[in-house]
Amino acid sequence: MKTRKPSYEHYANVVLKNAKFWNGNSFELRDEVRLTGSSSNSDSLEYDCNGALVLPALFALGVDFMEPLRDDVYTYVDGVDAMRRGGFYGAIYESAANPIDDVDKLTAADNRRPCDFNEGPGGTAYDIRFLGAYSKGFGTDSLAEMMELASGVVGFGDGNAAIPHSRFLRLAMEYGKMTGKRFFFQPMDRTLRHSGCVHEGAYSDMLGMKGIPRIAETIAAYTVLETARFLQVPVHFKQVTCGETLDLIRNARKQGMDVTCDVGLYHLLLDDSCLETLDSSYHIMPPIRSAGDREALWKGIEDGIVNAISMNHTPVLRQDKVVNFEDSVPGALSLEIALPAIWKKLSERVGDARAIELLSTAPARLANAVRGENHAAAVVVLAADKPHVVVESDFAGHVCNSPLFGKELPSSILATYINGVWTKLN
């Protein structure tokens, strides 16, 4: 397979020729677009887009760079490089291995920002916002220091762990309410999930694999919603996988509740027929569900119930994937390939404006990180009709765990220009 090695250069200005530039309402073919970055380098670049799309840079939900506890797997530098390649200017960061449950850990995360966030290839600042943990170690024994953390986090999350028992959930949300922050949950009932690793359905039955039923999600979501309704706390559901959960969210909104949600990239692209291959790259959490569930998620995007699309970017070592499916570690990379994988289908189903909202402005609103007119340029140059096969060199770091590895994507990212750094990919 062809190797693609990105190049990184600092430019104070970039001039894009023959570009279909997003003007806020539609793509407009322009002979020339001048962009200003934040680089101290005074050099300028001229680049011929040959009719490619120029989109606003994206904002990611659900990213985990693993450092410091699992820096043998991935690091902040790897993660920011992945964001740069994929056209993301910012992200909400939550690490299952590294809960931010006290002020010291928040300070440590902030202190890593100058070196690890800025010294990757082409080094420049990216807008990383943190989710604090609402409990110590994402457990169910003691609450985190939410009041002390509140000024430095965008909300409080569960580290993608199953929701706690109802009494602890109430205590956490009751305490957290005083901060005014939103709670972020991946709805999953611990006892119903048990040791399941795939969607409970025809394929899990056929293959004899332990399944996770839809009610593991819907019961957890209902419990969270009832608690939030009682306490009047805003909540966000991460990586919703089935239409029944979207129905619960729809009804809650009709009753005046402040509830937002996202759906995962791979839950929109795949269904559980992929399990026939027994390929452990399809082992992600929450599980990839049926074709009917996938279509329900698309309907939720079309009718506005879904606020954003989550990346759920989770690095996994190769040796933890090349084992039996049920013994493998769940997780998949997505930042580098998300846009070319989803753009064509997304824009066809909901239009360009809604597609950009789902990938950029809506996720940023959840983090209070929407870019203003005075910010440095942040764009992605996308050849929407230029397919390419995903290869190892597409990924940052030394892991490449993705169900799209070796597959052909319908589009290609040609380059990104974010905060003064021009990253050329194709």
Side-chain angles (χ1 to χ4, degrees), residues 7-34:
S7 63
Y8 308 93
E9 299 290 343
H10 287 263
Y11 292 105
N13 299 282
V14 168
V15 179
L16 301 179
K17 300 280 191 177
N18 305 312
K20 292 180 180 176
F21 185 78
W22 180 252
N23 62 17
N25 297 300
S26 62
F27 286 104
E28 175 186 353
L29 183 60
R30 296 186 183 178
D31 294 335
E32 182 177 289
V33 177
R34 292 183 175 272

Side-chain angles (χ1 to χ4, degrees), residues 6-302:
S7 63
Y8 308 93
E9 299 290 343
H10 287 263
Y11 292 105
N13 299 282
V14 168
V15 179
L16 301 179
K17 300 280 191 177
N18 305 312
K20 292 180 180 176
F21 185 78
W22 180 252
N23 62 17
N25 297 300
S26 62
F27 286 104
E28 175 186 353
L29 183 60
R30 296 186 183 178
D31 294 335
E32 182 177 289
V33 177
R34 292 183 175 272
L35 303 173
T36 301
S38 60
S39 175
S40 57
N41 187 337
S42 61
D43 292 346
S44 296
L45 170 74
E46 190 172 289
Y47 180 78
D48 190 347
C49 296
N50 291 313
L53 305 180
V54 179
L55 294 78
L58 314 180
F59 194 92
L61 300 179
V63 300
D64 184 352
F65 300 155
M66 312 301 283
E67 192 180 352
L69 190 63
R70 291 305 311 273
D71 57 5
D72 59 313
V73 181
Y74 213 68
T75 66
Y76 288 109
V77 171
D78 296 332
V80 170
D81 189 16
M83 291 173 62
R84 182 178 292 111
R85 296 178 188 213
F88 291 86
Y89 74 86
I92 292 183
Y93 181 82
E94 181 183 34
S95 175
N98 303 279
I100 298 176
D101 52 19
D102 61 38
V103 175
D104 288 342
K105 291 179 182 176
L106 176 60
T107 301
D110 275 331
N111 288 341
R112 280 194 296 272
R113 207 186 291 254
C115 59
D116 292 317
F117 289 169
N118 299 346
E119 288 185 0
T124 188
Y126 277 62
D127 194 353
I128 310 292
R129 306 293 177 100
F130 297 108
L131 270 189
Y134 61 74
S135 64
K136 290 287 187 180
F138 296 127
T140 59
D141 295 325
S142 56
L143 297 175
E145 300 172 0
M146 285 184 272
M147 289 297 292
E148 290 81 359
L149 289 167
S151 62
V153 299
V154 299
F156 296 101
D158 55 8
N160 295 336
I163 67 165
H165 57 77
S166 299
R167 181 175 181 275
F168 190 85
L169 179 67
R170 175 189 174 166
L171 292 173
M173 294 177 75
E174 201 163 31
Y175 178 35
K177 178 182 179 180
M178 292 186 287
T179 69
K181 299 291 185 178
R182 188 177 297 274
F183 276 75
F184 289 68
F185 295 98
Q186 186 181 94
M188 183 70 72
D189 182 276
R190 189 183 309 274
T191 57
L192 287 169
R193 173 186 172 177
H194 195 45
S195 57
C197 60
V198 297
H199 169 60
E200 184 182 284
Y203 287 98
S204 65
D205 290 345
M206 178 180 69
L207 298 168
M209 303 176 79
K210 298 173 182 176
I212 302 173
R214 293 183 187 88
I215 60 170
E217 178 172 296
T218 57
I219 288 175
Y222 183 81
T223 301
V224 168
L225 286 172
E226 284 298 291
T227 309
R229 188 198 318 275
F230 177 68
L231 296 171
Q232 298 184 335
V233 174
V235 295
H236 177 86
F237 288 114
K238 302 177 289 184
Q239 295 120 43
V240 170
T241 66
C242 59
E244 291 89 341
T245 305
L246 294 181
D247 290 339
L248 291 172
I249 295 168
R250 183 182 290 108
N251 292 334
R253 288 184 187 170
K254 287 179 180 177
Q255 296 169 23
M257 292 184 64
D258 184 355
V259 185
T260 56
C261 72
D262 63 61
V263 297
L265 172 76
Y266 291 119
H267 296 95
L268 292 171
L269 296 174
L270 304 168
D271 62 63
D272 64 345
S273 63
C274 66
L275 298 177
E276 286 187 296
T277 65
L278 296 177
D279 185 345
S280 61
S281 65
Y282 296 109
H283 186 189
I284 65 175
M285 279 294 149
I288 298 166
R289 297 203 183 271
S290 70
D293 290 308
R294 180 179 63 177
E295 183 58 26
L297 300 183
W298 278 107
K299 294 293 185 184
I301 282 178
E302 290 171 343

